[in-house]
Amino acid sequence: MPQFIAQHLPILQVIVPLIAAPFCALISVRNGAWWLAFVTSLVTFAISVLLFAATFDGEIISYHLGGWAPPIGIEYRVDMLNAFVLTIVSGTGVLTLLYARASVAHEVDAKQHGLFYTAFVLCLTGLLGVTITGDAFNVFVFLEISSLATYAIVASGAKTDRRALTAAYNYLIMGTIGATFFVIGLGLLYMITGTLNMADLAQRLLEHGDSRTLRMGYAFILVGLGLKLAMFPLHQWLPNAYTYAPSAVSAFLSATATKVAIYVLLRFLFSVFGFSIPFEADILFLVVLPLALAGSLIGAYIATYQDNLKRLLAYSSISQIGAMLIGVSMLSASGLMAAIIHLFNHAVTKASLYMVAGAYAKEAGTVSIRELRGVGRDMPFTTAAFVVGGMSLIGIPLTVGFISKWYLVEAALMRGWWPVVIVIVVSSLIALIYVGKFIEAAYMHPAPQGIIRREAPLTMLIPMWIFAGLSLFFGINSSLTSEAAARAAQGLVAASSLIWQ
Amino acid sequence: MHHHLILRVVAKLLLPFILLYALYVQWHGDYGPGGGFQAGVIFAVGFVLYALVYGVDELTRILPRPVLITGMIAGVILYAGTGLVGLFQGLTFLDYNGLAADSRHGQEWGILLVELGVGITVASSMTAIFVAFATREPDIDDEDW
Amino acid sequence: MTNLVMPSLVYFAAACLAPLIPHARLRAVLLLGVPVLAAATFFSATYGTSHILPLFDTHLKIFRLDALSYVFALVFSLAAFLSLLYAAHIRDRLEQVSTLIYAGSAIGAVFAGDLVTLFVFWEGTAIASVFLIWSRRTEGSYATGLRYITAQIASGLLLLIGIVLFYHDTGSVAFERMTLDSTATWCIFIAFGIKCAFPLLHNWLQDSYPAATLTGTVTLSAFTTKLAVYALARGFAGTEYLIYIGAVMTLFPVFFAAIENNLRRVLSYSLNNQLGFMVVGVGIGTPLALDGTVAHAFAHVIYKSLLFMSVGAVLYRTGTDKASELGGLWKSMPLTMVLCIVGAMSISAFPLFSGFIAKSLIVSASEPYLWVWFALMIASVGVLEHAGIKIPFSMFFGHRSAADAPKVEEAPLHMIIAMSFAAGLCIAIGVWPENLYAILPYPVDYVPYTTAHVVTQLQLLFFAILAFALLMRFGLYPLEYRSINLEFDWLYRRFLPRLVSRLAMRVTHAWRSLAGRTTAIATRILSYSPPANSASTGTMVLWIAILLGIVLCLAYL
Amino acid sequence: MTNYITRSVLIVLGLICIGLAAVDLYVARHSSLGFDSIPFFYCVLGFIAYAALIFMAKALRRVISRPENYYGLQAIDSESEAKHD
């Protein structure tokens, strides 16, 4: 690898898709936009993998934009945690784009394809930027880039269902409020410290000690990010957005958008605030933990009532996000590790499940569970992928879901939190119900009369099964993911001032 | 199209000044209040005023959709391209020192170009959003309300 | 790592490939090779062979071959072969695949050298087996299947919790003998207990086995419960509680079986009673008792399959398995009758049949526990009553003469072959017990055929039959009529649902009136109307405000 | 005809039982229990246990017997029988 590229990997990670995005809109050749987007995502994935490899043994890469050293200039900072999330995001990008070709052709008007892929790549850019940057304000900027692009691609589902427009509009309102809260919080922190570089912020906040302003800043950032990551009860934008967006978009967003928001939350909680004052930890116990527990139960419970498969998956996501937040609220290295590994595992699982839903939407013309009766016979490979993903959602051994649950339960036991263990178990039991409900409909019932359904095309099956395969592979051999998650968690704990560990 | 004579005349008179002011904000952005964002919006305001008075069709005649899209894209590319120059000179991204022989001049050039990119993108985006709303076919015809 | 192929993998591979064979007959024939092939992989392997798989930060022993696992794996292979042979007329791919996965999981679980592997296969048996019930494809079987899978998954979850705790306590997941001294081992114990149908945890068995397809019941009867007995024998041998649990298990099903109308449910009660003998053996835990448990499990799998097969054959021909609707079939199904009686004599422990040489070991071992011994004797009489007499009598003789009985054909050839094979094994084991004794975990120096033993056993059995004959003669023997009997499951099938629905109704009522009043007041005061769409931006923003408010309040505290 | 068969079966059974009881007088038992060496112990046990069991079961049935459709029409016991393949 040429020295030049190696040196500039962090900026290339963001700049490659940023530059490619506008060209997607320019290309008028048939499928040209898709090709460009796909090649771009491949390049970004390659870059993330290189970054992942470079940081795997604990090295931290720091890149100074414009040659201005931090804390004055903007710094891109890659450690194990970022690199892990970057890989998830860009990897999902590659596979969803591969999938999108057939799916989007079905769900989005042909003349909008150029703009659709532009927005898609911009969204990718934003998510990668949020993850890679070490500058707090830069996080906000990229968050907005990704969010604005997201509103557009969610709205592009309007061809099949006009409700996509309302969903996108609600998402826009909520996303904007979330981002505003986040930036208000940042402003308060800037008032105290006069700096925006995260490492510098952490240092100065530690020196500053407790104050009302700091508490306000913490509150605004927590609630703002809680909205972005769909923490219960701030999740209400999510079900509609994921239901009415084109399936490729649902798959991409469910695997990346909320995960990146959780990453930002982790980064701010541990690296910036660092629990230097008891208030920060108290809020986590008093507010976030109960909400996470409630979310993981209620999300799953609501999911059992859904007939729309995509909406079912959306509520399941809310439940799983609750599980991640439970891991975060434990404030221990093992809990964090459980949250981080679940972040990856859930991304893989949910992406495959949404791809399955998309395949149904394309081939069966519906995602209603009632109308999908007997689909297991007509679309065996697609439905089998759902079974794999569903097992992972429940947490059956040999799937990644089990690995997550295992670490989560173990972390809760280490803390001696029995009720939490029960909640985790109960929410998996409820997951059994909603997954079982679909599997039962797909396999045990005869198909409705006069319906012709064919198996999905290979370009959809391959990415779907790559994700399903990953959720099996890492369910059997989890050494890579658990090692990466453990190192990322240790990095975060080391950066914070958690003293009771 | 011959109503509002006064409005039409005043608008035509004002337009050059609005655009000139936008340019002023644009070029002074690097060492005074202003910059690409603000300038872009003021630029767009000029076009919006034009469309309000003379009709959207008139605006789309002088600024067709492809031009607006190209404007947005060109702005982004100008911005990112300026940043990339530093990269290819062996510096980091957005490092303008190499843009001129003197690093001070280099920084000035860099800011100017980047702000120009921002300005173009913002101006064309704002105009495009206005056009998109204004030319939207209503779901229900006016007579059917 | 040796080059031994895991037997369970043979089943799983077959389960993947089998549906691809288009021709039903060919598929059925090829499937018969699967148990043989799988058994061949471990049949002549040396004890002590094991496979290690690294996972997490520990090592899993996914395969362990010793005397105990060998016997169980052998009999499971036999049972799988018999079930597949008996089900050769089946075209339903779902049922075939689930049979294969079920058998494979059971064998995999028997070979599991650690708790995690055990758990995986444990759940495998649960999930695969429920499809044998659902394959009947009626609403009733679906509901029953749900109850069944709930019990099975509950067992799996308890096992999982136990394993996590156990790992937490000891840092090891090896599956060795445990003592009941911590929450972890209690969880594991109860998990095993659910699958073993301990008293009050037993209902899933009698509820679900009669609900499966007629071939599915044969398969179900062989694996799940015997897997639990294996797990108890491996993990909790010598635990004293088990003796008393087992004694109760042998006794109470006897009464229910005597008055049950559904013959497959009678056999399910009988199965529960037989498990009681094995549990007593595990609880006593001496080498003799453990040998007895293993031998009894071995013999039991075969004769219980035989009995289920004969009831299945009758069900196949007549369309019913209810005693009140049957009778007088001896003329139309003579072969089935003979084979059924062989099974009945085996389970009743007539000398020269397999039950005799297996049960005697446990009964002899229980002599130090007087009351337990007594319970076992009474239970033996009970076994004779419901499995030895009632099953063959009500199907082939009973209250109808041959002239009244429906004219049906003899059972199909493959069923006859499967039953004859099982019957042959029953007799062979009974006549030549030393072959079975040779593969038991501990050396056996027990001689079943002493004059005294044979005579006392015959006295017990024949006087009981005499009692039956006299009761019958004087019309005191309970006649069967169409009915069901309440059981412990009444609690969760009738009582709790009613209770909950009543409570829910009350709560809803109270809530409605409260909410109605509050809304009325709120509307009047604030002229506030609740948003029509629950997910409107207004509601969402309200939530944000509430949440931010709470956090800020906490900040000011 | 049927009566004849029934009667002869009863007679044969009675003869077998008498024979077995007679053998009891000649067989020495060496079990560790002791009390089972009482003459005719197993004969009496078998007979009484069986009779007691039947009567107790009949009493139990009075309490727990219910019509087949007790759990509704969609339970296994009340479904039609013809569903088997």
Side-chain angles (χ1 to χ4, degrees):
Chain A
M1 182 173 43
Q3 186 61 29
F4 169 73
I5 293 180
Q7 206 182 343
H8 293 289
L9 276 180
I11 191 66
L12 288 175
Q13 178 80 89
V14 179
I15 207 74
V16 168
L18 181 65
I19 293 178
F23 284 105
C24 286
L26 276 184
I27 297 177
S28 53
V29 193
R30 197 165 156 275
N31 275 331
W34 177 81
W35 274 108
L36 181 58
F38 183 60
V39 170
T40 311
S41 69
L42 277 178
V43 174
T44 53
F45 181 59
I47 296 171
S48 325
V49 170
L50 291 174
L51 282 172
F52 185 81
T55 53
F56 193 69
D57 22 291
E59 200 194 334
I60 292 178
I61 301 173
S62 172
Y63 185 87
H64 305 159
L65 258 72
W68 300 94
I72 297 167
I74 295 171
E75 179 196 16
Y76 281 8
R77 195 177 168 84
V78 191
D79 61 10
M80 189 68 250
L81 179 62
N82 298 24
F84 192 51
V85 179
L86 286 174
T87 318
I88 296 174
V89 172
S90 56
T92 316
V94 173
L95 290 176
T96 38
L97 275 168
L98 182 59
Y99 174 87
R101 182 166 172 175
S103 171
V104 166
H106 170 71
E107 292 177 12
V108 178
D109 263 340
K111 62 177 192 235
Q112 287 181 347
H113 280 187
L115 291 175
F116 175 84
Y117 286 113
T118 308
F120 196 99
V121 176
L122 271 180
C123 180
L124 182 66
T125 312
L127 294 171
L128 292 169
V130 169
T131 314
I132 206 167
T133 186
D135 183 273
F137 193 76
N138 223 234
V139 169
F140 168 71
V141 172
F142 278 117
L143 210 53
E144 280 300 81
I145 290 180
S146 74
S147 300
L148 289 170
T150 308
Y151 309 143
I153 52 180
V154 168
S156 67
K159 182 193 163 196
T160 36
D161 196 328
R162 298 285 286 175
R163 280 175 287 185
L165 295 176
T166 331
Y169 170 75
N170 279 352
Y171 188 10
L172 180 137
I173 300 287
M174 302 318 292
T176 310
I177 293 176
T180 312
F181 274 32
F182 180 72
V183 86
I184 289 173
L186 277 188
L188 291 168
L189 294 192
Y190 188 69
M191 266 174 68
I192 302 175
T193 60
T195 181
L196 286 169
N197 181 281
M198 288 195 206
D200 197 36
L201 255 178
Q203 185 59 36
R204 295 202 193 183
L205 285 178
L206 194 62
E207 289 161 11
H208 168 76
D210 198 356
S211 79
R212 281 273 147 71
T213 324
L214 175 59
R215 290 179 173 205
M216 296 278 125
Y218 182 78
F220 272 103
I221 287 178
L222 188 68
V223 175
L225 288 176
L227 220 156
K228 286 271 177 196
L229 61 82
M231 175 171 77
F232 180 83
L234 309 182
H235 65 275
Q236 286 148 326
W237 55 268
L238 187 142
N240 279 334
Y242 284 14
T243 309
Y244 299 120
S247 307
V249 173
S250 310
F252 180 67
L253 291 181
S254 70
T256 56
T258 45
K259 308 295 173 292
V260 165
I262 286 185
Y263 158 78
V264 177
L265 182 73
L266 287 177
R267 189 54 92 191
F268 268 83
L269 284 183
F270 286 85
S271 300
V272 175
F273 289 105
F275 302 101
S276 52
I277 55 171
F279 170 74
E280 294 162 2
D282 290 347
I283 287 292
L284 229 51
F285 289 132
L286 293 175
V287 180
V288 176
L289 180 62
L291 290 178
L293 293 173
S296 82
L297 286 180
I298 297 175
Y301 175 73
I302 300 178
T304 57
Y305 284 95
Q306 302 307 319
D307 179 58
N308 183 318
L309 189 60
K310 284 172 85 176
R311 188 178 281 274
L312 182 152
L313 293 175
Y315 278 108
S316 147
S317 281
I318 290 159
S319 165
Q320 306 286 347
I321 288 166
M324 287 173 221
L325 287 176
I326 291 173
V328 175
S329 325
M330 282 174 198
L331 282 186
S332 66
S334 50
L336 265 182
M337 180 197 165
I340 295 168
I341 199 166
H342 192 37
L343 196 139
F344 171 80
N345 291 345
H346 180 240
V348 168
T349 307
K350 225 6 117 39
S352 77
L353 287 171
Y354 269 114
M355 288 182 172
V356 171
Y360 289 148
K362 179 170 186 297
E363 297 301 334
T366 176
V367 286
S368 155
I369 295 176
R370 208 175 313 120
E371 290 166 30
L372 282 173
R373 275 169 305 172
V375 77
R377 281 180 210 104
D378 302 339
M379 302 172 71
F381 294 105
T382 310
T383 315
F386 186 93
V387 173
V388 171
M391 290 199 311
S392 177
L393 278 189
I394 302 166
I396 287 173
L398 303 186
T399 60
V400 285
F402 174 69
I403 305 287
S404 307
K405 292 270 153 64
W406 174 278
Y407 282 115
L408 206 55
V409 167
E410 201 180 55
L413 285 178
M414 272 181 158
R415 289 293 246 139
W417 289 359
W418 276 99
V420 173
V421 175
I422 293 170
V423 168
I424 297 167
V425 170
V426 170
S427 82
S428 334
L429 274 184
I430 307 179
L432 180 69
I433 297 176
Y434 61 71
V435 171
K437 179 174 129 175
F438 179 75
I439 292 178
E440 195 243 329
Y443 284 109
M444 306 297 293
H445 287 281
Q449 289 294 312
I451 284 189
I452 305 157
R453 299 182 280 216
R454 271 173 306 168
E455 186 53 275
L458 268 185
T459 53
M460 293 169 92
L461 278 178
I462 289 172
M464 181 193 304
W465 268 100
I466 290 178
F467 274 124
L470 282 178
S471 64
L472 287 175
F473 176 77
F474 286 113
I476 294 165
N477 180 0
S478 66
S479 50
L480 178 69
T481 47
S482 57
E483 188 59 35
R487 289 186 189 183
Q490 279 154 14
L492 280 180
V493 172
S496 69
S497 34
L498 283 171
I499 38 172
W500 57 82
Q501 289 302 319
Chain B
M1 287 299 286
H2 292 288
H3 309 296
H4 308 307
L5 188 60
I6 294 174
L7 247 168
R8 289 151 65 90
V9 171
V10 172
K12 248 190 184 157
L13 273 177
L14 274 179
L15 262 182
F17 293 103
I18 293 174
L19 297 188
L20 191 64
Y21 181 61
L23 286 174
Y24 168 82
V25 173
Q26 173 78 53
W27 301 127
H28 283 252
D30 46 353
Y31 56 88
F37 274 102
Q38 293 81 340
V41 174
I42 298 171
F43 238 100
V45 163
F47 293 122
V48 170
L49 179 65
Y50 186 75
L52 286 176
V53 177
Y54 291 92
V56 186
D57 294 338
E58 192 65 12
L59 179 66
T60 46
R61 195 178 56 78
I62 57 168
L63 280 179
R65 205 174 110 96
V67 172
L68 288 176
I69 290 183
T70 317
M72 291 187 237
I73 293 163
V76 175
I77 291 168
L78 180 59
Y79 171 94
T82 314
L84 278 183
V85 173
L87 213 64
F88 287 114
Q89 288 175 335
L91 304 166
T92 63
F93 184 68
L94 287 183
D95 194 335
Y96 312 132
N97 284 348
L99 285 180
D102 183 357
S103 68
R104 202 182 126 93
H105 286 299
Q107 288 287 345
E108 280 174 355
W109 271 108
I111 291 288
L112 208 69
L113 288 174
V114 163
E115 291 287 0
L116 184 61
V118 173
I120 293 172
T121 303
V122 172
S124 19
S125 303
M126 296 305 290
T127 317
I129 290 172
F130 174 79
V131 171
F133 273 115
T135 58
R136 188 167 163 271
E137 298 277 336
D139 289 339
I140 307 169
D141 287 336
D142 286 343
E143 289 77 26
D144 296 341
W145 279 97
Chain C
M1 198 66 140
T2 62
N3 51 7
L4 185 70
V5 179
M6 292 209 352
S8 47
L9 290 183
V10 176
Y11 284 94
F12 296 153
C16 294
L17 296 176
L20 305 178
I21 304 171
H23 193 267
R25 272 288 153 78
L26 182 67
R27 191 164 67 230
V29 172
L30 286 179
L31 283 183
L32 288 179
V34 177
V36 180
L37 200 63
T41 61
F42 68 89
F43 190 73
S44 51
T46 45
Y47 288 174
T49 314
S50 61
H51 282 219
I52 306 288
L53 179 81
L55 186 76
F56 304 129
D57 36 4
T58 172
H59 292 277
L60 298 185
K61 200 190 243 185
I62 54 171
F63 183 86
R64 165 179 58 187
L65 184 66
D66 59 10
L68 188 59
S69 50
Y70 180 78
V71 182
F72 275 91
L74 198 60
V75 74
F76 281 174
S77 305
L78 262 175
F81 181 79
L82 285 175
S83 311
L84 288 169
L85 178 56
Y86 183 74
H89 64 287
I90 293 287
R91 288 157 178 278
D92 186 349
R93 290 184 167 108
L94 178 68
E95 195 177 326
Q96 285 169 334
V97 167
S98 43
T99 304
L100 287 172
I101 296 179
Y102 182 32
S105 303
I107 291 175
V110 162
F111 281 127
D114 67 280
L115 292 165
V116 175
T117 314
L118 178 73
F119 168 75
V120 172
F121 287 119
W122 194 263
E123 291 287 40
T125 59
I127 291 163
S129 56
V130 73
F131 288 97
L132 295 175
I133 298 169
W134 283 341
S135 292
R136 187 164 160 185
R137 298 200 165 84
T138 66
E139 288 290 328
S141 72
Y142 177 65
T144 313
L146 274 185
R147 287 197 294 278
Y148 170 81
I149 192 78
T150 309
Q152 301 296 314
I153 295 284
S155 158
L157 272 179
L158 264 175
L159 181 62
L160 181 64
I161 293 172
I163 292 169
V164 172
L165 290 176
F166 190 74
Y167 180 64
H168 193 58
D169 291 347
T170 64
S172 150
V173 289
F175 183 28
E176 299 297 344
R177 185 170 295 195
M178 293 171 261
T179 46
L180 283 176
D181 52 4
S182 65
T183 325
T185 45
W186 270 106
C187 281
I188 298 175
F189 183 72
I190 295 173
F192 289 173
I194 292 178
K195 279 223 180 189
C196 197
F198 279 3
L200 300 188
L201 303 176
H202 64 279
N203 260 135
W204 61 266
L205 199 162
Q206 288 85 354
D207 185 19
S208 61
Y209 283 14
T213 60
L214 65 94
T215 49
T217 315
V218 176
T219 318
L220 281 171
S221 75
F223 297 109
T224 301
T225 47
K226 257 60 71 186
L227 173 59
V229 167
Y230 160 80
L232 284 172
R234 167 84 67 193
F236 294 99
T239 305
E240 209 185 338
Y241 294 113
L242 285 175
I243 303 177
Y244 306 109
I245 293 174
V248 175
M249 271 170 88
T250 57
L251 277 182
F252 85 90
V254 162
F255 300 102
F256 287 93
I259 52 172
E260 176 60 48
N261 186 29
N262 184 322
L263 291 179
R264 288 199 288 172
R265 188 165 289 139
V266 172
L267 285 177
S268 307
Y269 278 114
S270 158
L271 177 56
N272 207 342
N273 147 290
Q274 296 286 304
L275 289 170
F277 282 94
M278 299 176 214
V279 171
V280 168
V282 174
I284 295 169
T286 58
L288 180 65
L290 284 177
D291 273 346
T293 303
V294 176
H296 195 214
F298 194 97
H300 169 83
V301 166
I302 296 165
Y303 58 64
K304 190 41 67 78
S305 297
L306 174 54
L307 285 169
F308 269 116
M309 285 194 269
S310 62
V311 174
V314 168
L315 171 60
Y316 184 71
R317 284 306 186 202
T318 64
T320 181
D321 54 357
K322 290 179 179 165
S324 56
E325 314 300 303
L326 288 167
L329 290 172
W330 60 273
K331 209 162 194 177
S332 42
M333 302 180 80
L335 281 176
T336 311
M337 179 198 72
V338 170
L339 295 168
C340 177
I341 290 178
V342 170
M345 291 177 81
S346 298
I347 196 171
S348 319
F350 275 89
L352 296 184
F353 290 91
S354 59
F356 179 71
I357 63 107
K359 208 195 301 183
S360 311
L361 291 172
I362 299 177
V363 175
S364 296
S366 73
E367 279 174 9
Y369 304 86
L370 183 61
W371 286 107
V372 174
W373 179 86
F374 212 71
L376 295 190
M377 287 320 276
I378 295 175
S380 302
V381 175
V383 174
L384 173 77
E385 201 291 306
H386 60 250
I389 296 175
K390 180 172 179 174
I391 294 285
F393 183 77
S394 60
M395 288 198 295
F396 300 108
F397 311 101
H399 59 271
R400 272 186 219 182
S401 64
D404 298 343
K407 299 283 168 287
V408 292
E409 286 176 59
E410 180 56 272
L413 183 64
H414 64 274
M415 290 190 177
I416 294 288
I417 295 176
M419 288 190 278
S420 311
F421 189 47
L425 277 171
C426 287
I427 296 173
I429 293 172
V431 176
W432 298 286
E434 54 280 358
N435 293 329
L436 175 58
Y437 288 173
I439 56 170
L440 295 182
Y442 300 97
V444 184
D445 57 350
Y446 184 82
V447 185
Y449 290 115
T450 62
T451 322
H453 190 196
V454 171
V455 167
T456 50
Q457 181 71 10
L458 285 177
Q459 283 173 342
L460 190 76
L461 293 173
F462 272 99
F463 273 87
I465 297 175
L466 182 68
F468 163 72
L470 289 176
L471 288 173
M472 204 65 201
R473 177 75 185 77
F474 296 109
L476 292 169
Y477 189 77
L479 274 182
E480 293 306 337
Y481 52 85
R482 300 194 73 130
S483 67
I484 61 158
N485 295 317
L486 292 188
E487 248 266 51
F488 182 66
D489 60 352
W490 175 79
L491 259 189
Y492 57 82
R493 287 177 73 180
R494 182 48 72 89
F495 178 70
L496 280 182
R498 292 233 163 143
L499 187 72
V500 169
S501 72
R502 257 179 224 172
L503 275 182
M505 220 145 68
R506 289 267 166 86
V507 171
T508 323
H509 257 289
W511 173 252
R512 279 218 189 113
S513 66
L514 183 72
R517 254 173 245 166
T518 330
T519 319
I521 294 168
T523 318
R524 209 175 307 147
I525 296 175
L526 304 170
S527 64
Y528 163 85
S529 65
N533 178 1
S534 65
S536 73
T537 39
T539 332
M540 298 188 216
V541 174
L542 189 67
W543 275 111
I544 303 171
I546 291 172
L547 200 62
L548 186 72
I550 293 172
V551 178
L552 288 184
C553 281
L554 287 170
Y556 272 92
L557 282 177
Chain D
M1 165 76 176
T2 323
N3 245 347
Y4 169 71
I5 294 178
T6 318
R7 202 175 304 154
S8 42
V9 165
L10 257 178
I11 291 171
V12 170
L13 197 59
L15 287 177
I16 292 177
C17 288
I18 293 169
L20 278 171
V23 171
D24 196 60
L25 300 172
Y26 301 98
V27 177
R29 284 198 283 269
H30 319 279
S31 89
S32 60
L33 290 163
F35 62 80
D36 68 337
S37 51
I38 303 167
F40 312 122
F41 175 77
Y42 287 94
C43 307
V44 175
L45 180 67
F47 192 89
I48 292 186
Y50 190 93
L53 196 154
I54 292 296
F55 287 118
M56 283 164 75
K58 278 172 85 170
L60 180 69
R61 170 141 87 177
R62 286 221 186 112
V63 184
I64 60 169
S65 188
R66 289 290 182 279
E68 261 182 341
N69 56 5
Y70 180 73
Y71 288 120
L73 290 173
Q74 298 200 330
I76 278 299
D77 302 279
S78 43
E79 272 175 353
S80 76
E81 299 284 343
K83 278 289 187 181
H84 292 280
D85 30 87

